[in-house]
Amino acid sequence: MDLGETAWNSTTSSKAKDVAQKIRGICGISSGPVHLDYVMASHHHLDHIGYAGNPNDTDDIGNGIYELLTPATEGGLGFTVGTLYDRDGGVWTDANGDADCDIGTSSNPAPEVDWHNAGTTSQTARRWNCWLYGPAGQADRAHIEGKVDQLTNTETWPTLDLGTGVTTTIVQVNGKDVMQADGTTPVSGDHTAATTPPSENDYSIALDIQYGVFSYVTAGDNDGEYDTSSFGYTYNDIESHIAEQVGATTVARANHHGSTHSSSSTYLNTLNPQVGVISCGNNSYGHPANRVLDAFRNVSADIYLTNNPCDDTDPTGAPIDYSGTFNNNGDIVLQTSGTGDSYDVTYDSGTNSYTTGNGSGGGSGGDPSQVKVNEFLMAPSTNQEWVELYNPTADDVDVSGHYIDDLAASGSSPQQIPSGTVIPAGGYWVMELGTAYLNNTGTEDVRFLEIVGEVETVYDSYTYSLSSSEYDQVFHRVGDGGSWCDTISSNVTQGTANPSTCP
């Protein structure tokens, strides 16, 4: 669903090439095209579908979904498709009778699209329409000829077959059954000549995917409020209609990249997801807005980002608060169990595991990367050595499967934290290490880390050096989570608040 680009003329380093390689990796092949059962375009914006080529182009143009599905002989990647789903924006009409789908220019667009459900328009949309609905036999259409299913408002929308036990329902497209702010004018229909037309975003396809008790909702760039943009188009509350259709869900993708006009509190309170995913790249639009991040936090959802930071400042001018979010950059992989009653979310720093709950909110993973090594005892005269971890966040943090270790690539083996270990918000957890784990003298590290395969990600560490054994004394921070005291201390506070001063 979607394959956007950052620029209309990116061809040598297009996102299409990146996504193609990801698909090959999933399918276990190193090169060449792949057959896809379904491809879906949520709506007709460059950052969702890319920029289609046209036979009248004199330059090398064509990326996004166009590049993916165009035959290699025509400069594409040669992937094939069973069905290409498109919203009903319009179709080609041969206005000048030349049997050729003309696009014109941005300043003088050709009148060769018969708009059906549209407000704002663009050359991106015109090119897309020419590719999908242009003259039969066009060489770059060979892999999609007869494969396009345009989702109209008069048909019963199809259910996608994604395998046994999976139900995929199209719950919204074309702004169907939603009125504009006046309460009487439909969002659907041709509004391209209106003074303030609806945004193209509000015609996006929305999907509800269910597998057992697990559910996932994604709805393109649909908006969740009524407002008018300074650029001369309107925002419309499509989200309320979607929320009525889907109700509670497990995972929700934020609409419109976390725009302040989308992912309304009403929408997220209805869906009440455990996990929210925000697909936002480096941008200057204030995505994701603090209001959206807070709306996810208010239902206790864990928040995963495809990029951090996406923007630095939200539309109010305030710095965007990314605290407690997961993933700094790259892929987010969500994988259910064989029955859908549990699922894992893998991101750049590890994996969080969840028991599926629809409408339960309360993502239970927390952010292990925020946990601090807070205090430790390396030379007990009796009992065991220990390391205390402190959770400075406002959420419980599951540290199951993470590790306590000493010097990297030397010394003792990493000690894995047992399954089911959750450090409460503002709380402590202590691991006992036996009697000969940490060095009494010399230089030593105490590390809290994630180990995936052979790759270590260190979340917190402290290095100390002692010339003689200091029995029954500790190193600790100033208060909980504060700066380290570099002086050994006899004020032992295992599992409780640290002293507010150093020795």
Side-chain angles (χ1 to χ4, degrees):
M1 185 174 188
D2 291 351
L3 201 175
E5 299 283 356
T6 57
W8 65 270
N9 58 352
S10 60
T11 52
T12 58
S13 59
S14 65
K15 299 298 181 184
K17 293 180 176 63
D18 295 339
V19 170
Q21 194 57 34
K22 295 287 185 184
I23 295 171
R24 294 186 189 109
I26 292 169
C27 295
I29 64 173
S30 60
S31 62
V34 173
H35 177 77
L36 304 172
D37 291 326
Y38 305 108
V39 172
M40 180 175 285
S42 68
H43 64 294
H44 302 162
H45 274 164
L46 175 73
D47 61 329
H48 287 259
I49 60 173
Y51 206 66
N54 184 275
N56 297 308
D57 291 334
T58 56
D59 297 321
D60 181 17
I61 294 175
N63 54 31
I65 295 176
Y66 174 89
E67 182 181 4
L68 188 75
L69 298 181
T70 292
T73 54
E74 299 300 313
L77 295 169
F79 281 46
T80 56
V81 65
T83 305
L84 172 54
Y85 286 106
D86 182 38
R87 76 171 206 80
D88 182 16
V91 293
W92 171 53
T93 178
D94 192 8
N96 59 9
D98 65 355
D100 177 44
C101 190
D102 301 306
I103 53 175
T105 64
S106 297
S107 58
N108 186 28
E112 295 216 345
V113 176
D114 178 13
W115 300 106
H116 293 171
N117 299 285
T120 55
T121 61
S122 64
Q123 290 298 88
T124 296
R126 291 183 182 88
R127 285 174 168 271
W128 177 259
N129 274 278
C130 278
W131 180 45
L132 266 62
Y133 310 110
Q138 191 171 295
D140 60 1
R141 300 184 68 243
H143 289 179
I144 64 168
E145 194 81 61
K147 307 294 180 61
V148 178
D149 188 342
Q150 191 174 45
L151 303 173
T152 70
N153 287 356
T154 57
E155 70 172 305
T156 299
W157 298 327
T159 298
L160 281 64
D161 179 10
L162 296 184
T164 303
V166 184
T167 301
T168 302
T169 305
I170 298 170
V171 295
Q172 176 57 257
V173 63
N174 304 323
K176 183 180 178 181
D177 296 331
V178 178
M179 297 298 162
Q180 297 186 46
D182 61 11
T184 58
T185 306
V187 173
S188 292
D190 179 8
H191 302 288
T192 57
T195 303
T196 51
S199 168
E200 167 64 21
N201 294 329
D202 292 335
Y203 298 96
S204 294
I205 299 173
L207 288 182
D208 181 13
I209 302 173
Q210 297 189 346
Y211 178 55
V213 295
F214 175 89
S215 62
Y216 172 79
V217 173
T218 179
D221 278 3
N222 277 303
D223 290 308
E225 67 174 5
Y226 290 102
D227 198 1
T228 301
S229 167
S230 60
F231 296 101
Y233 54 81
T234 62
Y235 304 98
N236 296 275
D237 184 10
I238 312 295
E239 287 183 343
S240 290
H241 185 268
I242 297 170
E244 291 174 1
Q245 304 300 307
V246 302
T249 192
T250 313
V251 179
R253 175 190 168 277
N255 299 326
H256 198 179
H257 319 288
S259 162
T260 191
H261 302 288
S262 300
S263 301
S264 70
S265 294
T266 299
Y267 181 70
L268 290 181
N269 288 344
T270 302
L271 270 59
N272 198 18
Q274 286 180 303
V275 165
V277 179
I278 304 178
S279 174
C280 55
N282 186 9
N283 71 89
S284 59
Y285 303 108
H287 301 161
N290 283 327
R291 185 203 59 73
V292 172
L293 291 167
D294 288 342
F296 276 108
R297 292 182 181 116
N298 288 341
V299 295
S300 300
D302 287 346
I303 305 169
Y304 293 81
L305 303 164
T306 54
N307 200 61
N308 183 355
C310 294
D311 196 1
D312 296 319
T313 306
D314 98 330
T316 68
I320 296 177
D321 177 14
Y322 288 103
S323 63
T325 60
F326 296 95
N327 206 55
N328 291 311
N329 190 31
D331 295 341
I332 298 167
V333 179
L334 191 156
Q335 186 170 17
T336 67
S337 67
T339 58
D341 59 356
S342 64
Y343 61 101
D344 293 336
V345 182
T346 300
Y347 61 109
D348 63 351
S349 296
T351 299
N352 288 332
S353 299
Y354 301 84
T355 299
T356 300
N358 287 326
S360 62
S364 59
D367 187 355
S369 70
Q370 302 301 309
V371 170
K372 305 296 183 185
V373 176
N374 204 46
E375 182 182 4
F376 59 89
L377 173 70
M378 78 296 296
S381 58
T382 59
N383 299 320
Q384 298 188 49
E385 302 170 15
W386 50 265
V387 173
E388 175 190 275
L389 301 179
Y390 168 66
N391 172 14
T393 75
D395 300 308
D396 296 350
V397 175
D398 188 345
V399 293
S400 302
H402 292 71
Y403 291 83
I404 300 292
D405 195 15
D406 56 357
L407 289 168
S410 64
S412 305
S413 298
Q415 299 297 295
Q416 190 170 37
I417 297 173
S419 176
T421 302
V422 176
I423 308 177
Y428 315 90
W429 181 78
V430 176
M431 172 176 267
E432 294 185 334
L433 298 170
T435 57
Y437 192 82
L438 299 174
N439 292 337
N440 292 357
T441 60
T443 299
E444 178 71 296
D445 286 347
V446 179
R447 304 186 301 151
F448 169 60
L449 67 161
E450 172 84 12
I451 303 176
V452 178
E454 297 182 356
V455 178
E456 295 186 350
T457 302
V458 179
Y459 293 145
D460 195 35
S461 65
Y462 180 71
T463 302
Y464 67 92
S465 184
L466 294 171
S467 58
S468 61
S469 298
E470 302 287 350
Y471 290 100
D472 299 323
Q473 298 194 69
V474 296
F475 283 101
H476 63 72
R477 294 177 180 270
V478 179
D480 294 323
S483 58
W484 279 97
C485 296
D486 293 325
T487 306
I488 197 90
S489 173
S490 59
N491 194 345
V492 180
T493 59
Q494 178 184 5
T496 61
N498 282 356
S500 60
T501 59
C502 292

